[in-house]
């Protein structure tokens, strides 16, 4: 077998493994949660960002189908209200509120409304995201918007929500929809500067400042046109870095939250939904939005959620 054949064979086997896991997951999804696993009720409040379509809409649908009160948020009022109406007409407890995660005023108004109406949040799903990269094209045309939405916007939303996360015995949960493209040690797509990679990997010394400085450096290089020789990930560069940043921030916060006393715990994790057929991918990929939502639901509802600061895909932990 020559090198090309070996590679094709490896790809085939990886495809088979993924297909097998998809089948396992569809079986797992058909098993209902038993009464003693259910720590939640209709009083449990979940917030989903960017929920008017795609994976976010499915996360809203599936959480609400479990009997949770879900706030579907969207930056556009009319489309968000329409999406919420579809679920409300299906008998689900879904409310709508406007929320643009890059807009301070929108975040503040949203948080004040949640506090007034519900008293707090039990589950926050950071799903809102943006990318201009479709297929193998590598565009950094919208790098600022991509980093600003996927990293800074998500970070801003989490920070605003922390004071609202409701103390409880089972702990509040934050789940972020991230991507394998943001892995530090992805085989083909990684930061080539070993020192920087090691620093970003070193969870004990990882800081928000380092993550911000990495994003600033990349965006400066985009502006002055030197980013191609900057040693950044080669595929979906801006998007990959934005997800790498939010993954790293997940670890920073998990460490911070770990010192909270019992009863006030917040568990924070991120996951990759796979290549999902949504507008973002130009409807390419094998995974349906329903399947792509699965790990978010699983992580949000884990009965014993002592897991925090980890990265998942298809209900399994993967490396950052
Ligand atoms: P979509 O493009 O269908 O959905 C993206 C959602 O994010 C839309 O509702 C969009 O709102 C919303 N959004 C964008 N910017 C903001 C903002 N500033 N404030 C609030 N909402 C915003 O894509 P997906 O459903 O595929 O993406 C959902 C998440 O999953 C993203 O974080 C994405 O990065 C991630 N993901 C997706 C993968 C895939 O294969 N599809 C793979 C890995 C991760 P609007 O309708 O107004 O534009």
């Amino acid at each position: 077998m020559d090198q090309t054949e070996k590679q094709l064979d490896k790809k085939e086997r990886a495809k088979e493994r993924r297909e097998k896991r998809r089948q396992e997951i569809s079986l797992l999804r058909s098993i209902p949660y038993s009464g003693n696993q259910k720590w939640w009720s209709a009083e449990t409040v979940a917030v989903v960002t960017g929920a008017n379509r795609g994976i976010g809409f499915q996360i809203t649908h599936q959480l609400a189908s479990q009997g949770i009160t879900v706030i579907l948020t969207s930056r556009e009022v009319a489309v968000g209200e329409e999406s919420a109406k579809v679920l409300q007409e299906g008998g689900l407890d879904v409310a709508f509120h406007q929320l643009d995660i890059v807009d301070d005023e929108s975040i503040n108004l949203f948080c004040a409304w949640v506090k007034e109406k519900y008293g707090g949040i039990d589950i926050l799903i950071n799903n809102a995201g943006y990318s201009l990269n479709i297929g193998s094209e590598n565009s950094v045309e919208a790098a600022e918007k991509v980093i600003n939405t996927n990293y800074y916007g998500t970070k801003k939303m989490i920070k605003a929500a922390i004071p609202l996360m409701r103390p409880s015995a089972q702990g509040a949960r934050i789940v972020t929809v991230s991507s394998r493209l943001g892995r530090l040690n992805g085989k083909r797509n990684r930061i080539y500067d070993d020192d920087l990679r090691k620093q970003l990997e070193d969870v004990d010394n990882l800081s928000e400042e380092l993550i911000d400085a990495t994003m600033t450096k990349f965006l400066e290089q985009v502006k002055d046109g030197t980013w191609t020789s900057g040693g950044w990930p080669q595929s979906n560069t801006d998007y990959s870095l934005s997800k790498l940043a939010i993954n790293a921030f997940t670890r920073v916060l998990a460490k911070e939250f770990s010192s909270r006393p019992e009863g006030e715990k917040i568990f924070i994790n991120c996951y990759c939904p796979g290549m999902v057929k949504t507008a973002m991918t130009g409807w390419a990929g094998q995974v349906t939005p329903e399947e792509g939502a699965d790990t978010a639901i699983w992580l949000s509802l884990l009965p014993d959620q002592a897991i925090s600061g980890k990265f998942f895909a298809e209900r399994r932990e993967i490396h950052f």
Side-chain angles (χ1 to χ4, degrees), residues 18 28 50-51 60 63 116 133 141 145-146 148 153 187 193 198 207 223 227 254 258 261 266-267 272 293 296 316 318:
R18 275 201 305 272
L28 290 171
T60 307
L63 281 176
E116 167 78 22
N133 292 276
E141 204 184 305
K145 184 165 175 184
V146 170
N148 209 23
K187 277 198 194 90
D193 178 341
K198 280 198 187 105
S207 68
K223 272 197 191 120
W227 69 276
S258 66
I266 302 178
F267 300 106
C272 174
R316 284 179 178 150
I318 59 172

Side-chain angles (χ1 to χ4, degrees), residues 39-40 44-47 119-126 158 161-176 253-254 257-258 260-269 296 299-309:
W39 55 264
W40 60 92
T44 305
V45 173
V47 171
I121 301 171
D122 301 290
I123 301 169
L124 169 67
I125 312 281
N126 300 296
I158 296 174
I162 290 172
L164 297 177
M165 299 308 289
R166 213 173 348 226
S168 65
Q170 73 284 339
R173 287 117 197 256
I174 301 178
V175 176
T176 298
L253 274 187
F257 291 158
S258 66
R260 288 185 160 230
E262 284 305 323
E264 289 175 30
K265 292 276 187 212
I266 302 178
F267 300 106
I268 181 164
N269 293 291
L299 277 170
S300 304
L301 302 184
L302 277 174
D304 295 312
Q305 168 70 287
I307 300 169
S308 199

